[in-house]
Amino acid sequence: MKKNSMKADKFCYIQSSNESQNLCFNLQEGESLQLTFIVLGDVKVNNHIIINLDGENAACSLRGLWLINGDADVNFDVKMNHHVANCTSDQLFKGIANDRAKSNFFGLINVSTDAQKSDARQQCHNLLLSDDARAYAKPQLEIYADDVICTHGATVGRLNDDELFYMRSRGISLDEAKKIQLKVFAAAPLDFVTKDTASHLEDWINAISL
Amino acid sequence: MLKITNLHAKIGDKEILKGINLCVKAGEIHAIMGPNGAGKSTLAATLAGRDNLEVTSGSIIFQGEDILSLSPEERSWKGIFLGFQYPVDIPGLSNAAFMKAAINEHRQQQGLEPLSAASFLKMVKEKMAFVEMDSSFSSRAVNVGFSGGEKKRNEVFQMAMLDPRLAILDESDSGLDVDALRIVGTGVSKLHHPDNAAIVITHYQRLLDYIVPDFIHVLYKGRIIKTAGKELAMEIEERGYDWIINEEE
């Protein structure tokens, strides 16, 4: 494994108003990039993110968390382009939607013919807290190289009754058990943000779920 | 301590419990045995307040109070504990955080301050040792990747932490090897004292070598069809349930 002494960038976007992000990053050899998007509340957001892995051994991690309510309408359009060999990308997006909020995740991973030994991963998981909330997740892989690792997964679910009953049978109240489930669900995409940012998770969850 | 009278319960349209009568006094251990589908797990879930089943008639009086309208957490606060046949995995939540939330809600109900971090850790360490669990289990996610035996030991660990008045153990012996069976069996047995009681649901006599019951009840088609002393377990082990069922019919 080649040691990465090149540029490493880390950005976190917290979006709690109707402001979208249109971003394009081109990563050169050995560069790494970590992007985190946190979308909060009753907002309309259209994020377009294009990542071009242009130099070998470039690595990109994308994280997304949306905690939305009201009539929020959140769209993520992600294009991860593996143009050359030996690059890695991993994407983890999670969303919790309440009321009539809806989210759309569209994630394309494109691995071109020259991009052998690419490692590309993408996950998008959603929890719906109300009957009218909606989540759409559409992962798409276009792979033209033959020696690659590419995985993707998408789920849409609700709070787990068995977990809730298990917690309640130990004396954890229903509200608290729900909060624990939401916190546990939402924590994973916050692995690159500061402790200070992550410490707001509980408040953000309370703001959309109570 | 517990008085169940003519309890009927159904899941969906199917009546599972068809008139259960059971009286448990402090200091007693009751075993409930019976063939598959008799309603043993439904009875356990009904006592703990699972909401996917419906009690259609009868009553459950616990320490003088009808608990049928109480939520699962309220029953826990009053001292009812259910050891699950299939303990639930909770990915992302550590065993320690799980128990801390539970213990502190219990304390809040009793008007007590939350336990300090040091006292809590000490308690966890002590109770883990009690069920011969490595303390590394406290930082692992609840039941995630645990073997069958580890899950059941984790149930007894939680029971030791919460110190219930009435423990209902739903097939705590299923899926256990000999060592795990000994640990679970002696663990439950050591937690027993004159002020608490236990209902032990089991298929086999072997768990009852460790947890010696005062009464054994045979549940069949949603009713208790026979009650006897601990010697009944041995007889069931040898002869099965058919002779009891025939006697009844």
Side-chain angles (χ1 to χ4, degrees):
Chain A
M1 191 87 182
K2 192 171 157 181
K3 196 146 192 247
N4 182 4
S5 54
M6 310 265 183
K7 204 167 77 168
D9 274 327
K10 191 191 264 194
F11 301 104
C12 177
Y13 304 88
I14 298 180
Q15 301 172 277
S16 52
S17 63
N18 294 344
E19 242 174 86
S20 301
Q21 292 292 341
N22 274 291
L23 302 170
C24 179
F25 288 87
N26 303 312
L27 273 65
Q28 306 307 317
E29 187 176 350
E31 288 182 348
S32 72
L33 175 67
Q34 295 173 341
L35 296 183
T36 304
F37 299 87
I38 300 168
V39 183
L40 301 170
D42 187 354
V43 294
K44 294 190 169 43
V45 163
N46 277 299
N47 286 345
H48 294 269
I49 303 143
I50 300 174
I51 310 290
N52 292 309
L53 301 169
D54 291 334
E56 287 201 24
N57 297 305
C60 179
S61 295
L62 297 184
R63 297 291 182 264
L65 176 65
W66 49 91
L67 304 169
I68 54 179
N69 64 345
D71 293 297
D73 186 351
V74 171
N75 298 279
F76 272 82
D77 180 359
V78 178
K79 291 189 174 64
M80 181 66 69
N81 298 314
H82 283 250
H83 292 306
V84 296
N86 296 314
C87 292
T88 60
S89 65
D90 88 283
Q91 307 179 41
L92 175 63
F93 290 85
K94 287 199 167 193
I96 300 174
N98 203 355
D99 305 330
R100 297 156 308 279
K102 66 175 194 222
S103 69
N104 256 296
F105 175 83
F106 177 72
L108 172 66
I109 297 173
N110 184 301
V111 180
S112 52
T113 41
D114 295 334
Q116 298 294 359
K117 306 279 182 197
S118 288
D119 186 334
R121 296 160 199 255
Q122 180 195 77
Q123 298 285 325
C124 178
H125 302 291
N126 292 277
L127 263 186
L128 303 180
L129 299 183
S130 68
D131 291 340
D132 294 325
R134 292 285 179 269
Y136 300 96
K138 191 182 176 197
Q140 198 174 339
L141 301 178
E142 289 182 9
I143 300 169
Y144 300 102
D146 54 15
D147 184 13
V148 300
I149 297 170
C150 288
T151 61
H152 67 88
T155 58
V156 180
R158 293 182 181 278
L159 287 170
N160 182 319
D161 280 340
D162 290 334
E163 283 182 16
L164 288 179
F165 178 62
Y166 193 57
M167 289 192 260
R168 296 175 76 189
S169 76
R170 294 338 184 208
I172 298 172
S173 64
L174 179 60
D175 277 354
E176 187 61 26
K178 283 181 178 174
K179 257 189 248 170
I180 288 173
Q181 253 191 44
L182 295 176
K183 255 164 65 180
V184 160
F185 175 84
L190 300 178
D191 50 352
F192 294 132
V193 302
T194 62
K195 265 204 169 130
D196 186 47
T197 302
S199 70
H200 291 104
L201 179 59
E202 196 164 338
D203 298 333
W204 295 336
I205 287 173
N206 288 344
I208 63 151
S209 65
L210 293 180
Chain B
M1 176 181 288
L2 177 75
K3 192 165 195 290
I4 303 174
T5 309
N6 194 28
L7 185 69
H8 290 252
K10 59 180 188 177
I11 298 177
D13 287 335
K14 194 164 182 236
E15 188 173 46
I16 313 282
L17 302 181
K18 300 172 183 172
I20 301 272
N21 294 293
L22 182 66
C23 189
V24 178
K25 296 197 178 76
E28 291 178 349
I29 296 179
H30 291 243
I32 295 182
M33 303 182 78
N36 285 326
K40 303 188 295 293
S41 290
T42 302
L43 175 59
T46 307
L47 289 170
R50 180 96 217 209
D51 57 7
N52 63 356
L53 45 83
E54 187 192 340
V55 173
T56 49
S57 67
S59 66
I60 304 175
I61 308 293
F62 179 65
Q63 295 182 319
E65 185 187 357
D66 190 335
I67 59 166
L68 274 177
S69 62
L70 299 185
S71 67
E73 56 269 38
E74 288 168 321
R75 297 183 198 202
S76 172
W77 300 333
K78 293 197 179 296
I80 291 178
F81 176 90
L82 173 63
F84 281 54
Q85 182 179 5
Y86 303 108
V88 178
D89 297 8
I90 312 181
L93 177 65
S94 75
N95 242 345
F98 176 44
M99 274 299 102
K100 196 168 192 178
I103 292 275
N104 283 337
E105 283 217 36
H106 276 261
R107 291 179 64 89
Q108 196 186 342
Q109 291 303 318
Q110 296 157 7
L112 299 171
E113 293 286 304
L115 216 52
S116 75
S119 319
F120 176 74
L121 282 176
K122 187 167 166 267
M123 187 177 177
V124 166
K125 219 174 155 184
E126 196 182 298
K127 306 299 181 191
M128 284 230 157
F130 179 72
V131 287
E132 300 180 32
M133 283 171 91
D134 190 277
S135 58
S136 66
F137 279 95
S138 66
S139 56
R140 283 179 56 182
V142 179
N143 294 323
V144 176
F146 287 27
S147 72
E150 286 162 353
K151 284 184 186 183
K152 295 298 169 71
R153 272 147 70 185
N154 201 26
E155 295 292 286
V156 182
F157 159 71
Q158 293 170 37
M159 177 180 160
M161 291 288 288
L162 295 171
D163 188 23
R165 298 296 310 276
L166 174 68
I168 304 140
L169 302 164
D170 190 3
E171 299 206 17
S172 297
D173 52 346
S174 65
L176 294 191
D177 60 34
V178 182
D179 284 337
L181 183 72
R182 172 185 57 78
I183 294 164
V184 167
T186 52
V188 171
S189 181
K190 275 194 263 175
L191 291 172
H192 184 59
H193 55 75
D195 292 332
N196 65 19
I199 298 174
V200 180
I201 294 172
T202 181
H203 265 296
Y204 306 104
Q205 190 259 331
R206 52 181 202 169
L207 181 66
L208 304 179
D209 289 342
Y210 298 100
I211 309 169
V212 180
D214 300 290
F215 300 97
I216 294 180
H217 309 277
V218 175
L219 192 64
Y220 179 67
K221 290 188 175 169
R223 289 187 309 113
I224 289 172
I225 59 169
K226 189 175 182 69
T227 294
K230 61 174 188 271
E231 64 285 349
L232 181 63
M234 195 62 88
E235 207 165 352
I236 288 170
E237 190 82 0
E238 279 167 21
R239 300 172 63 192
Y241 294 108
D242 284 352
W243 64 277
I244 301 172
I245 293 164
N246 290 338
E247 226 170 57
E248 163 74 10
E249 284 170 349

